[in-house]
Amino acid sequence: MIKPGRLKIELPKDVKHILDTLTENGYEAYAVGGCIRDSILKRSPDDWDITTNALPEQVKELFKRTVDTGIKHGTVTVMLDKKSYEVTTYRIDGEYEDGRHPKSVEFSSDLVEDLKRRDFTINAMAYNEKDGLRDEFGGIGDIRKGMIRCVGSPEERFNEDALRMMRAIRFSAQLGFSVHRETMDAIRKLAPNIKKISMERVQAELIKTLLSDKPETVELFVECGILDQILPHVASVLKSPKKTIVLKMLHNAEKTPVMRYAALLYYAGPDAARETLRTLKLDNYTTEMVEKLIRQEAIPIKVNEIDVRQAMHDLGVDFIPMLRDFKRNIYKSKEEVMFIPMGKYLVQIETVYKMYQQIVERGDCVSLKDLAVNGKDLIELGMKPGEEIGNMLNLLLRVVIEKPIENDRQVLLALVEGKLADEKK
Ligand code: ATP
Ligand code: MG
């Protein structure tokens, strides 16, 4: 049981230093928000934010190194050694003009006003050593109940900023909490507003949900209508009979963006997967890997060393172990859902994987960069720079992929000389 009165939070040395400096100069200062929530939950906070009644200019006077990160919104970044801390003046957010940005912010001298603008009760607590925990909205009670609940009227809060709807579900996934009924009802009602939010912000919440301990919570996004609006392919997979397997796959997948997105989009197919990740403006690496995994899953690599080396060249050296993990997850998850043994579907990829390991161990050449000759060597043999050299190198690579032993400078040079002589005839 957490007793608010006696709650003691161990503040990092830097945070203590910032709070002490502000207090010694006559200001109020607290650590606030996510760091307090995480400390109470014994999770290690990502960052420590500080809230104070000092104005930005006053904060800047007290610290040697500061950056004007969000000075318009009252935030000064204080740099200590290599770490940075956001120190924000107590703030009342003005009207939100478009469900995204407050039109204006007003500084306040009252901590409670600052806590009131925060999204959820568990994120609206502040702490310093002098006053202990300041919990005006029942944050501790909600932590005890495992509850995500808006500060104030959920509908008003989601109308101010639609991203909060996704944040509610994301925190539910990360912390294993439930979303309070009224908060959830408001999300259902206002789900279409999510269209106002930029894809970068949507993606940031989605990936935090997928990388959490309960990625299957992603289902809530669909159930309340949020993903219908912006990611129709994901919504349709999670409304189909495949849902149970997809949620199981998500749970069993390694905690990486590639593996979690591949699990989510497996039944959507490679083209829809690509389109979805492009819509989300995901980086090229993740987008391409996910598409490739889903596409290649259905195309067996032939069980012989030449084909495995060729696949390592065509698909990337690291691809086979990822494909193996992906396939293992698919069949393990199917087995768990349907209670039908699926081991036989893995025999082929496991054999390919063993070959792959031997190839790596031996160091067989599978790419141009490991070839025993390069373009310069060919020029020295009298070839002209240009397309022909590329073609010749690829031909040599194909030779070496078929017979690794031929990856020898003398052997390959002799081969090129032979070919050049043939051409002259
Ligand atoms: P995490 O760092 O794990 O994403 P967090 O709660 O620390 O979680 P931040 O985005 O770092 O989230 O924000 C810090 C604090 O700022 C929150 O705890 C909350 O008090 C407040 N906050 C952040 N985003 C919003 C928002 N969209 N609406 C209202 N308050 C917010
Ligand atoms: Mg944070």
Side-chain angles (χ1 to χ4, degrees), residues 79-340:
M79 313 286 299
L80 297 174
D81 294 326
K82 288 205 179 77
K83 290 206 195 118
S84 60
Y85 299 87
E86 294 201 338
V87 179
T88 305
T89 307
Y90 296 164
R91 196 172 97 180
I92 302 171
D93 290 344
E95 284 258 308
Y96 278 71
E97 47 195 336
D98 55 359
R100 276 181 288 176
H101 308 294
K103 245 190 222 158
S104 60
V105 302
E106 189 188 319
F107 296 142
S108 162
S109 56
D110 184 1
L111 170 72
V112 180
E113 289 296 335
D114 186 85
L115 297 178
K116 210 190 268 176
R117 75 174 171 88
R118 295 174 184 272
D119 46 7
F120 306 111
T121 59
I122 59 168
N123 288 348
M125 292 182 281
Y127 179 91
N128 67 19
E129 285 180 350
K130 183 167 126 291
D131 300 339
L133 188 76
R134 296 288 304 270
D135 174 21
E136 305 290 324
F137 302 101
I140 277 284
D142 282 341
I143 284 189
R144 204 178 280 145
K145 290 187 206 118
M147 194 64 84
I148 311 289
R149 184 202 313 252
C150 283
V151 172
S153 150
E155 283 195 29
E156 271 174 36
R157 305 315 308 282
F158 294 145
N159 271 320
E160 289 167 355
D161 179 3
L163 187 76
R164 290 174 187 155
M165 301 190 284
M166 289 194 77
R167 283 174 56 92
I169 291 169
R170 181 261 284 195
F171 285 122
S172 150
Q174 286 180 322
L175 308 175
F177 283 20
S178 330
V179 180
H180 188 259
R181 215 169 107 216
E182 280 167 32
T183 298
M184 202 61 212
D185 287 347
I187 296 178
R188 280 199 191 90
K189 184 166 167 193
L190 299 173
N193 290 355
I194 202 66
K195 281 186 283 196
K196 298 181 190 172
I197 300 297
S198 77
M199 274 300 164
E200 286 84 352
R201 294 178 83 204
V202 165
Q203 201 284 131
E205 295 304 321
L206 185 58
I207 195 64
K208 283 182 183 175
T209 307
L210 293 176
L211 294 180
S212 72
D213 287 342
K214 284 183 74 185
E216 54 275 29
T217 312
V218 74
E219 182 193 6
L220 269 187
F221 286 133
V222 175
E223 196 243 306
C224 71
I226 284 184
L227 288 192
D228 275 322
Q229 306 290 331
I230 46 175
L231 300 174
H233 297 303
V234 178
S236 80
V237 165
L238 291 177
K239 284 179 177 175
S240 79
K242 300 291 187 204
K243 178 178 104 174
T244 324
I245 296 174
V246 173
L247 297 183
K248 186 64 88 181
M249 277 174 68
L250 275 174
H251 189 85
N252 290 337
E254 200 193 331
K255 272 191 191 174
T256 63
V258 169
M259 285 309 186
R260 294 263 157 125
Y261 270 121
L264 181 67
L265 292 163
Y266 172 51
Y267 284 109
D271 296 331
R274 183 181 189 82
E275 192 190 315
T276 302
L277 299 186
R278 285 271 172 253
T279 305
L280 283 165
K281 299 198 161 79
L282 230 78
D283 60 280
N284 287 342
Y285 172 79
T286 311
T287 307
E288 278 160 23
M289 277 319 241
V290 170
E291 181 190 353
K292 223 155 52 164
L293 280 172
I294 298 174
R295 196 177 297 285
Q296 294 300 324
E297 194 281 327
I299 309 170
I301 298 165
K302 287 208 194 89
V303 183
N304 71 68
E305 290 205 339
I306 297 173
D307 282 279
V308 174
R309 279 192 292 270
Q310 189 66 46
M312 287 167 71
H313 171 261
D314 297 345
L315 301 168
V317 204
D318 295 339
F319 186 74
I320 289 175
M322 288 176 94
L323 182 64
R324 171 182 179 249
D325 283 352
F326 186 50
K327 278 185 174 267
R328 280 159 68 107
N329 186 13
I330 294 170
Y331 291 108
K332 175 175 183 247
S333 303
K334 282 187 179 177
E335 219 170 73
E336 286 174 20
V337 170
M338 305 192 287
F339 303 104
I340 303 169

